[in-house]
Amino acid sequence: MRGAAAAAAAAMAGSVRAVARRFLSEYGGGTAGRLKALDAFLLYVLLTGALQFGYCLGVGTFPFNSFLSGFISAVGSFILGVCLRIQINPQNKGEFQGISPERAFADFLFANTILHLVVINFVG
Amino acid sequence: MMARSGAGRGAGRKRRRGAGGGGNMAAPGPRLRLEAALGFLLVLAGAQALVPSHRLDARDLARLRAVLERPFTDVRSAYYSIVGLSSLGARVADEKAACKFIKSHVDSSSVESLFYAAQSMQVLSACEVTISNETRELLLAAVSEDSSVTQIFHAVGALSGFGLPLASQEALSALTARLSKEESVLATIQALETASYLSQQADLSSIVEEIEDLVARLDDLGGVYLQFEEGIETTALFVAAAYKLSDHVGTEPAIKEDQVIQLMNAIFSKKNFETLSEAFSVARAAGALSQNRFHVPIVIVPDGPAAVSHHQPLLRLQVTNVMSQLLTQVSVKLDQAKSVSSKATVLQQLPFTLSGDFFELNFMNVKPASGYYDFSISVDGDKRFIANKVELKVKVSTEVGITNVDLSTVDKDQSIAPKTTRVAYPAKAKGSFTADSHQNFALSFQLIDVNSGAELIPHQTFVRLHNQKTGQEVVFVAEPDSKNVYKFELDTSERKTEFDSASGTYTLYLIIGDATLENPILWNVADVVITFPEEDAPSTVQSKNLFVPKPEIQHLFREPEKRPPTVVSNTFTALVLSPLLLLLILWIKIGANISNFSFAPSTIVFHLGHAAMLGLMYVYWTQLNMFQTLKYLAILGGITFLAGNRMLAQKAVKRIAAEQSSRLAKYRTLR
């Protein structure tokens, strides 16, 4: 009985590892370099936001406006980065007929400018 | 403070003179009643009819004369001084010198100067001058419609003063024509005075009507004063001119009695005269109000305070006009005297007797009780008198005597009969009395009017206990019972707090006082030894000092929020920057590079502009506000956008070209 459970767990663990390895190889091969760079950026933003949130949970919310502004900057940048990624992915070309990758990038920059204008206003 | 309203009381409204006061309340119409009620409320307490509040007393007259007797500087100041002094019934010190001065200083080419000279010379005795024909022509020419009212006034006055013939009718028509064009108060007043120089044959009624119009333009200040907004000088000149014209024409001026009193109050409220013209105007007004044919306000002045007593049983009054000149050819009568407290009439219809300059009445003949009395006094003798009924508050003083003073110690258990000692004022009781936990101290006395024997209830009946050692004093009030016997009882247990439980020998004083008593009493009655039950008194009784500095209040500033220690926040800052490191490592691993960087101008401008925008964000954080940032952002953003647009368009062209060539290559290999 214990052996079967252990075997099942081992199998599950093994399958999780296998899935992860499979995913990584597919990802590494199938994604364009540009998208991978963007994904790295998104990971960075995610980590920064999570760290800010953890700090706020740890030491308290004073000053609250600074925390909010930093957190919203992270979240907003993440969302805009995801939008950019969707728009410049060549596999989604069919859905974004009128929007060239350059146009998507220009939109990304413009939206980021407005976001960070508000963020800087609020950080205090 | 004072309600200002135009004295718009129409000429048709007649107001009765009140008998004994209060008559002004019966005016018809609700609005007029309201005005009368307001006026009543604001008038001096105790007086129901309007009473003059200001007049020229002896000191004011002296001041006025001092101003008027200053040496002359020019013809105008000579005129003010000479005519002003004559209005007051006085004469200039040296008339000959004055006459010479005027003759040497008059300017024959100026109508105004001639007017001053003419009027002054008319007042001075034996001062005459011959007038040349040119001067006469000049004066006659000035009396025309083309000259201002002031010029006509001066010309007519000069002609009249020099005794030269004058065509009254022409002057009158010029004056009326001119007056319809000039509406100012001063011009109208001068017109009134001009008319008083014209012949009585001329029809001066149109000018006389101006008096009523001017009265309507006066401002009522609180029902007490009436004056023009131009000031007291104008008001005084108006009074002088109005009465001069009325005397000349023989008709009573359209000024009501109360208005005359209000004008009087306003004019004579000015006690300091800055300019000679002000002094002149007040002197003219005083002269006019004391000697005209129609209205003479009188003032009833008591001699010292209006108080009588057994030592001074006579109430003495003086009757004067506005210039404090005594009027003795009058009859003064007491209409009635009422007690203020009991409202009973004590005396009626009694004449005052004239003795020297004073009118006297022996009030103590009716043996009045002490207190205050309202006297209604009326003065007769001349139909012209106004303000001749006044209310006067008279005080009757008396002397108090203390009788039946009994000091006793009462046992609380009432087992022992109280020991009573009688004391006579002003002796002191022999021996001392004790008050302690089983004995109370009691005091009773009666207060009587020494002269009449009636019982008195004065305002102040205090019992003062003074600690001989510590200087403490405690004051109690002795209250009368129903039989007007004053009683005071000291219970040590009840009165502990007032004494601060300080036992010892206290001196007992009795304090009797009242406004109507001539002999207030402070009487050391006895010594009282007071013993308090528990010895919880402080050893040295310190007087409660209320005026020491109080403990300082420290302001509590708002406490700052709790922050984490600097180590923690610095660690976190470093931690937050670590993903950036990770990002750079990942990018290098992925192989992101800038090898495709083309050095086209638009690219460079775009990157510089973008960097500038990021720098602007930092500057915004540290220094700027939103408006300035938006301004700079608009500029930088515009540049960046244009350059970026160019750059991205070039990139797009390159990309499309690359795609096309790769597609072409693919197509070629397939073939």
Side-chain angles (χ1 to χ4, degrees), chain B residues 398-415:
Chain B
T398 185
E399 285 161 11
V400 71
I402 315 185
T403 57
N404 302 344
V405 185
D406 288 326
L407 300 156
S408 44
T409 45
V410 180
D411 203 65
K412 273 200 201 158
D413 311 332
Q414 274 158 18
S415 53

Side-chain angles (χ1 to χ4, degrees), chain A residues 27 33-34 36-38 40-45 47-48 51-55 59 62-63 93 100-103 105-106 109 113 116-118 120-124, chain B residues 561-565 568-569 572 575-583 586-587 590 592 606 610 613 617-618 620-621 626 629-630 633 647-649 651-652 655 659:
Chain A
Y27 176 77
R34 201 186 284 192
K36 278 198 264 192
L38 195 56
F41 176 71
L42 289 177
L43 179 66
Y44 154 68
V45 169
L47 284 178
T48 312
L51 276 173
Q52 283 182 26
F53 189 70
Y55 178 73
V59 297
F62 184 80
K93 201 135 168 214
S100 61
E102 288 76 25
R103 168 72 195 278
F105 181 63
L109 283 183
T113 309
H116 285 94
L117 188 68
V118 173
I120 298 291
N121 185 35
F122 202 51
V123 77
Chain B
E561 304 266 348
K562 268 186 31 160
R563 286 172 177 242
V568 175
S569 52
F572 168 70
L575 205 60
V576 149
L577 291 174
S578 58
L580 190 62
L581 215 62
L582 176 68
L583 177 67
L586 279 175
W587 270 353
I590 291 168
F606 166 76
H610 194 226
M613 272 164 51
M617 289 295 138
Y618 175 74
Y620 175 33
W621 184 37
M626 181 62 106
T629 313
L630 283 179
L633 196 63
M647 176 193 78
L648 287 175
K651 283 200 80 141
R655 174 177 56 87
E659 273 176 21

